[in-house]
Amino acid sequence: MKVDEIAASLSDGMVVGIGGWGGRRKPMAAIRAILRSPVKDLTIVSYGGADVGMLCAAGKIKKLIFGFVSHDAIPLDGHFRAARQGGAIECVDFDEGMLQWGLRAAAMRLPFLPTRTGLASDVVAQNTNLKTVKSPYTDGEELLAMPAINLDVAILHANVSDKRGNSQIHSPDPFFDELMARAATKTYLTVERLVETEALGGREGAHTNYIERNLITGVAEVPHGAHPTSCDPQYGIDVGHLKTYMAAKGEDEWAAYCDQFVNLPDQASYVNAVGGEDHIKFLRLPGF
Amino acid sequence: MTQNYTLAELCISATAEAWRDRGEILATGIGLVPRLAASLAKMTFNPDLMMTDGEAYLVSEPVPVGPLGDYQPKIEGWMTYDKVFDNLWGGRRHAVVTPTQIDKYGQSNITFIGDRSAPKVALLGVRGYPGNSTNHANSFFVPGHNTRCFVEGEVDMVGGIGYNPSRWPGGRKPKDFEISMIVTDLAIMDFQGPDNQMRVTHLHPGIELEQVRENTSFELATASEIKQTPAPTPEQLEIVRTFLDPHDLRASVFKGNPAGDRRTEPHG
């Protein structure tokens, strides 16, 4: 399928989980497709980076369920900050591990999972929707009941897949993409390369297959589809492009950014607009 | 006769102490000084520490900062974020982080300044602060000791929990909660004062207690004997300068790269 078909399948107000982590392996081609589409009032669940920032800049987010928004190489995202400071989005702050716990509860089709994390902090004190439970065993400990974060749709970016959705993540960290797929009613995958099943590498390749295909609704092939975030081992974070995106602060500047990089007919035009394949290929992989 | 050293080098060796006598745990230092401090601890008094390359692998030798040239990280294991969470929820970790705000309870904030509905300044989000502070001991490094960081009342958004019984479930201190030390550009503090009051234990060379008090919005306790922060040893300086930070990224931590002993002239 095409990324614009992924965007077209979304409806206003949906809860959408986005894979990757900060500046790494974000399904950015699909995010740009959402920017081009009329969909609005989304609830976004993310270990956020440019995905959240761009959706904020485009006014697509009503509610953000998150642990952070950062590009790693650049700590803060200006578009997210402006949206939060202006009161334009409702922010539900969770500890990174609580987010994982909420997704895991949804993945296991449980209403909640207990944890100590969050108690005594404002994550709980400033969120009236969170409740505690008492351990039914002799310890009687009071624990936070982290509610399931059920997703209507998850959108993830992987290195390769076949047509049926037998996918592989070759990057060293699969992050929480698998939990997002399990927590979602539908999961769309964008991949660097669509390959024949025989080209998936047999036994060895199977170790990087984190998400079984019955969780995948559709696959779109978009080479360099994570740019400007990284897709290890193919390419690193494009810090220069992130700076260009961050500089597009005002309404006119953002419209100009969209004309140049978002409102394009296809991924090939995007790759050309950001400097071509050779530019992306030589972006340094992240290392801190 | 001690060698000359910068304030950044003093803070690195002081912060490394957070990992002394902690055994075989995961050492996480967020930011340049904490990371160099963890690396220094691993290369000197606690070789059992586990550290990552900042990406997804455990390394047997800390990875230097800055351009690596031909250096290849010495990978000994796999440490994805999923495994980091599992490890820290199990308590076998000590992290040194740099909060934007800290209050008298040691509660910490990196989420926003101001009011939740429309904050004056939006920052990162709570990241791992609630889970870290609940599940294992943590320490802080504060490059700018001032009243904007050490705030009156409570921080604007409590991410990392503190010594504040009114917030603890059932009024009982969470089992694994501890803030071990705070290293700032002026002093070293802990929470060993009466009723876990923040307490000054060391002053950096050339710093007076009054300066620390003036730059803190709440009352500080003092150790019975306030010591001078020990200078980095020649061995520590050698490791930091030649191996861990050969490009001197640490020179940019403090404006003007001041000397560690503020009674002497700035470093050239």
Side-chain angles (χ1 to χ4, degrees), chain A residues 31-66:
Chain A
I31 297 295
R32 286 186 292 272
I34 295 173
L35 263 50
R36 289 189 292 269
S37 85
V39 74
K40 61 180 192 304
D41 295 334
L42 298 174
T43 289
I44 296 294
V45 180
S46 181
Y47 292 94
D51 55 336
V52 172
M54 286 193 192
L55 291 166
C56 280
K60 297 291 187 188
I61 303 183
K62 186 173 183 208
K63 185 172 173 180
L64 178 64
I65 299 174
F66 77 122

Side-chain angles (χ1 to χ4, degrees), chain A residues 18-20 24-30 155-160 167-169 171 174 177 188-193 211 220-227 229-232 234-235 267:
Chain A
I18 300 167
R24 298 166 171 94
R25 217 164 32 72
K26 287 285 177 183
M28 295 308 297
I155 307 176
L156 317 171
H157 186 75
N159 300 80
V160 297
S167 65
Q168 297 182 351
I169 295 171
S171 311
D177 289 17
Y188 297 103
L189 198 64
T190 63
V191 293
E192 292 291 317
R193 274 188 317 126
I211 304 165
E221 184 184 44
V222 270
H224 313 105
H227 182 276
T229 70
S230 67
C231 187
D232 202 337
Q234 271 96 6
Y235 49 92
Q267 178 69 3

Side-chain angles (χ1 to χ4, degrees), chain A residues 4 24 34 41 71 94 147 184 195 201 232 243-244 247-248 268:
Chain A
D4 289 287
R24 298 166 171 94
I34 295 173
D41 295 334
H71 304 297
F94 281 125
V195 298
D232 202 337
K243 285 180 179 162
T244 304

Side-chain angles (χ1 to χ4, degrees), chain A residues 21 24 67-69 75 80-81 84-85 91 93-96 100 115 117 119-122 126 172-173 176 288, chain B residues 35 53 55 57 78 80-82 85 89 111 116 118-119 121-124 126-128 130-131 135 157-158 167:
Chain A
W21 175 282
R24 298 166 171 94
F68 61 85
V69 179
F80 155 70
R81 296 181 75 191
R84 182 166 208 178
Q85 287 165 194
C91 285
D93 292 280
F94 281 125
D95 171 271
E96 296 163 351
Q100 175 204 28
T115 176
T117 294
L119 294 175
S121 82
D122 277 333
Q126 296 186 356
D173 196 326
F176 301 96
F288 292 92
Chain B
R35 174 174 159 181
D53 64 344
E55 200 60 32
Y57 297 105
W78 195 35
T80 60
Y81 275 106
D82 185 45
F85 294 174
W89 287 36
T111 307
R116 158 163 288 278
V121 184
L123 300 166
L124 285 165
V126 295
R127 293 225 69 148
N135 290 293
M157 161 83 186
V158 176
R167 283 179 176 261

